[in-house]
Amino acid sequence: MKTNDGKRMNAETVKVGCFQMLLVLIFCINYIIVSMNHALPAFHNYTPKFYCQPRNTTSRTYGCQIQNNWTIESNSSTELEMDSCSGDYRFAIEPGENSVVTEWILICERRYLTYLASAIYYLGALIGASIAGILADRIGRLPVQAICLYTQGTMAVALYIVQSYPTFLALRGLQGIFVQGLQNSTYILSLELFPSKSRTLVALIMQIAWAIGLILLAILSYVIPDWRILQLAVSVPTAITDNTRIPAMATG
């Protein structure tokens, strides 16, 4: 921010007013987006009761059907667990209920794929945390914030229409990069708008927004049992946040 004589104004010399508080409230929307995305794996990986439906019969056996086979090689025995379901696994779900697990049948011997999705997302978040600060110093806080905000929103829409699990994994990894970049740039910019004596309060407000995001996600997941629609609903705040019109304040 510049004064009337063209000199840069340090945040320590600025009086806290309605303008700064309004910006913090706008940035809180970004934090709500971040918190919901970080907690989404818990709802993506929801696993309802499932059963094995053998072919040519109406009997049901709930849970994974595993049989132990013993093999003997070179005077040593090895126990192998193999899927013994002679039909298809099906889920005991209500109409309209759908999670990533139920859509791609990530159970039993495929269960590890659910953990892989979470690992890839948070690996992306780690990468985003590493590069967001560097880019923010080079090209500015607001440009990085805007890029991360709208790119992660685009990823959310892409996840709504994705049809294969490998593509889902790739998109979630990319989304993790930009979601974490959004968090870092938003937090830094929010603090830099205020003098140091007010930054504890600002940080507290941002964490309250984080908690609100988790509460909203819990409510949305109860109302929207389909993970695709839930993913789209989480991206709605992106459409109402126009960070490109927020004036930047230079500190230092």
Side-chain angles (χ1 to χ4, degrees), residues 38 120-130 173 175-177 180-181 184:
H38 280 350
I120 289 177
Y121 174 80
Y122 289 112
L123 176 61
L126 178 62
I127 296 173
S130 301
Q175 190 181 38
I177 294 175
Q180 189 60 46
N184 288 13

Side-chain angles (χ1 to χ4, degrees), residues 102-147:
T102 61
E103 179 157 337
W104 284 297
I105 315 180
L106 306 180
I107 54 175
C108 301
E109 70 275 6
R110 289 169 54 86
R111 180 65 177 172
Y112 75 95
L113 291 174
T114 62
Y115 307 122
L116 181 62
S118 299
I120 289 177
Y121 174 80
Y122 289 112
L123 176 61
L126 178 62
I127 296 173
S130 301
I131 64 177
I134 298 174
L135 289 177
D137 288 337
R138 289 181 177 272
I139 66 175
R141 315 292 195 238
L142 276 177
V144 171
Q145 187 185 67
I147 291 171

Side-chain angles (χ1 to χ4, degrees), residues 11 14 16 19-20 23-24 27 188-195 199 247-249 251:
V14 176
V16 177
F19 175 70
Q20 286 95 331
L23 289 182
V24 168
F27 292 154
I188 294 171
L189 185 56
S190 298
L191 294 183
E192 289 182 344
L193 288 170
F194 291 82
R199 290 175 181 174
M249 176 179 180
T251 61

Side-chain angles (χ1 to χ4, degrees), residues 220-242:
L220 286 173
S221 65
Y222 180 80
V223 176
I224 306 173
D226 190 319
W227 77 268
R228 291 181 180 273
I229 302 177
L230 178 63
Q231 180 74 59
L232 199 61
V234 167
S235 68
V236 167
T238 303
I240 62 177
T241 306
D242 189 358

Side-chain angles (χ1 to χ4, degrees), residues 36-171:
M36 288 195 292
N37 274 285
H38 280 350
L40 264 179
F43 300 93
H44 282 168
N45 298 338
Y46 165 65
T47 305
K49 289 184 177 180
F50 59 92
Y51 57 89
C52 176
Q53 180 68 66
R55 298 181 181 87
N56 302 322
T57 180
T58 58
S59 63
R60 295 181 178 181
T61 306
Y62 283 86
C64 296
Q65 306 304 301
I66 302 296
Q67 66 179 7
N68 295 328
N69 290 343
W70 290 87
T71 61
I72 301 177
E73 297 180 0
S74 302
N75 298 324
S76 63
S77 61
T78 304
E79 183 179 7
L80 301 176
E81 290 188 348
M82 301 181 63
D83 189 354
S84 63
C85 180
S86 59
D88 299 319
Y89 282 111
R90 298 182 182 179
F91 294 90
I93 56 178
E94 299 293 331
E97 185 177 340
N98 185 31
S99 70
V100 173
V101 172
T102 61
E103 179 157 337
W104 284 297
I105 315 180
L106 306 180
I107 54 175
C108 301
E109 70 275 6
R110 289 169 54 86
R111 180 65 177 172
Y112 75 95
L113 291 174
T114 62
Y115 307 122
L116 181 62
S118 299
I120 289 177
Y121 174 80
Y122 289 112
L123 176 61
L126 178 62
I127 296 173
S130 301
I131 64 177
I134 298 174
L135 289 177
D137 288 337
R138 289 181 177 272
I139 66 175
R141 315 292 195 238
L142 276 177
V144 171
Q145 187 185 67
I147 291 171
C148 291
L149 175 67
Y150 297 118
T151 304
Q152 67 81 28
T154 303
M155 294 294 175
V157 176
L159 284 166
Y160 175 73
I161 61 176
V162 69
Q163 296 299 318
S164 69
Y165 193 66
T167 306
F168 170 83
L169 293 178
L171 288 174

